[in-house]
Amino acid sequence: MTDTTPETTDWTRVRYDVPVERVARITLARPEAANAQDYLMLTELNQAFDRAIADEDIRVIVLAADGKHFSSGHDLGEINPDMDALPTIGTQCHFDAPGAEGYMAREAEMYIGLCWRWRNLSKPTIASVQGKVIAGGLMLVWPMDLIVCSDDATFSDPVVALGVNGHEYFVHPYEAGARLAKDMLFTGRAIGAHEALQHGMVNRVVARDDLESETLALASHIARRPMFGLTLAKQSVNNSQEAMGMYTALQSAFGLHHVAHSHNRLKFDGWFIDPEGPQIIRDEA
Ligand code: ZN
C-alpha cells in the first residue's frame, strides 16, 4: 500500500506520532469540543489509520484523545457537509439525493462504512479512553481490538431518546452483551469503567494518571510478536464474530435506524430525530 495521506501537519482534528518503537498513536485533537466528530475528523482519522497500516515499522495502533473526555459523539451542529470535498472510501453514492436515499448513503459511508473498515484493519488496535464516551464516541472505541480506560471513563448511547434504535454502528449486543445492551439503550444511562470491565466491554481499568503509560506498555508488549501472527489472530477472532452474524445484524439494525430517521422526518416536519429527545438527554446528564 502506498502512503498517500497528507502530511501530519495538514490534519487539524487528529495528531499522529510514534511514541514507542513499533507503535503508532493517533490522538483526537479537538478537546475544546470534547472531541465531537465532524466529517473532517472522521476523514482525517481514516487517513491516519491508513498511514499506520502502510508503515512497515508499525505493528500496533493506539487511538487516544486529548482533553477531559474521549468523545461526545457526532458533531450535531454540522448539517449536511459537502461530501464532494471529502475523499470517500466506500461504494456509496448520491449523497445529496432527496428522501431516504442521500442521508442513508451518507451514514453508510461516514459511519458504519468507516467503523467496519477500522474494525478490520490488519494490525491490532487499542483504544485509550478517559472521561465521557457518548453515542458516536462508542463508534470509535468499539471498532478497536482492545480497550484500556481510566477509572473515570463512562460509556453511554442515549439516542433512543431521539427516536432511533441506537447509534449507527449497532454492535451493542456483541460488545456489551444482550442484557446490558438493552439496559444502556432503554435507560440511556452511562455505565462506568468497572461495570464495563465486569461485562467484558473493556480490557483494563487504570488510574487516570497511568492511562498513557499502561496503554503504551500493553502496545509494546503486543508489538514484540510477529506482524503476521497478530494479523491472523485478529482476523480469526473477527471471523468468529461474523460467524455469529455480526455483519448481518449490523446491516439489519442500520436498516431499522433509517426506518426511524424516515419516520421522524415524516412526523416532525423534516427532523431526522424526535425534537424533544435532546432535552430528555440534557435533563438526565
Ligand atoms: Zn443516524
Side-chain angles (χ1 to χ4, degrees):
M1 178 188 269
T2 305
D3 183 359
T4 57
T5 55
E7 291 302 312
T8 304
T9 50
D10 292 342
W11 293 331
T12 60
R13 297 287 194 263
V14 303
R15 284 184 288 106
Y16 185 102
D17 69 337
V18 180
V20 293
E21 192 180 7
R22 296 172 178 166
V23 177
R25 176 171 57 188
I26 302 164
T27 304
L28 308 178
R30 202 187 180 198
E32 69 282 4
N35 295 309
Q37 305 158 39
D38 54 10
Y39 280 16
L40 180 61
M41 177 184 277
L42 296 172
T43 299
E44 291 183 357
L45 190 50
N46 189 59
Q47 291 171 338
F49 278 128
D50 277 356
R51 169 166 293 179
I53 291 296
D55 187 339
E56 292 184 6
D57 293 331
I58 297 299
R59 294 189 189 174
V60 178
I61 305 167
V62 168
L63 177 61
D66 284 341
K68 189 175 178 190
H69 301 298
F70 183 85
S71 177
S72 59
H74 295 142
D75 186 347
L76 299 179
E78 185 184 49
I79 309 293
N80 285 352
D82 181 9
M83 293 293 290
D84 292 335
L86 299 171
T88 55
I89 52 90
T91 53
Q92 304 298 321
C93 58
H94 306 315
F95 298 109
D96 295 310
E101 185 180 1
Y103 198 60
M104 193 167 184
R106 282 172 180 264
E107 293 204 332
E109 168 71 28
M110 298 305 296
Y111 294 164
I112 64 168
L114 288 174
C115 287
W116 191 253
R117 186 172 192 270
W118 300 335
R119 182 244 186 200
N120 291 318
L121 294 171
S122 58
K123 299 179 181 181
T125 53
I126 306 174
S128 182
V129 180
Q130 77 280 7
K132 292 183 178 177
V133 180
I134 303 173
L138 287 167
M139 295 172 59
L140 303 186
V141 172
W142 280 349
M144 300 297 102
D145 298 313
L146 302 177
I147 302 170
V148 179
C149 72
S150 57
D151 48 18
D152 70 338
T154 63
F155 305 86
S156 67
D157 184 11
V159 302
V160 172
L162 307 181
V164 297
N165 50 349
H167 64 60
E168 290 80 6
Y169 185 62
F170 200 99
V171 292
H172 306 59
Y174 292 86
E175 298 291 347
R179 200 71 67 196
L180 182 60
K182 288 174 181 172
D183 187 342
M184 290 176 70
L185 291 165
F186 294 172
T187 67
R189 76 180 174 91
I191 65 168
H194 287 286
E195 185 175 4
L197 182 66
Q198 188 183 358
H199 288 268
M201 208 199 84
V202 303
N203 296 88
R204 312 262 197 286
V205 178
V206 301
R208 177 69 185 85
D209 287 347
D210 299 332
L211 180 61
E212 180 180 14
S213 61
E214 292 278 350
T215 305
L216 294 181
L218 176 61
S220 290
H221 180 99
I222 294 168
R224 291 186 60 203
R225 279 148 180 75
M227 187 71 264
F228 196 40
L230 290 169
T231 300
L232 296 180
K234 171 171 182 165
Q235 196 174 338
S236 298
V237 176
N238 282 7
N239 288 351
S240 300
Q241 289 183 305
E242 282 155 60
M244 292 184 264
M246 187 177 185
Y247 186 73
T248 304
L250 171 64
Q251 293 297 335
S252 171
F254 186 63
L256 297 178
H257 183 86
H258 276 272
V259 169
H261 277 320
S262 296
H263 169 77
N264 290 332
R265 289 181 76 182
L266 288 167
K267 188 173 178 183
F268 301 115
D269 197 27
W271 284 61
F272 289 101
I273 59 171
D274 186 325
E276 293 185 10
Q279 189 60 47
I280 296 173
I281 295 172
R282 277 194 293 272
D283 287 346
E284 296 175 353

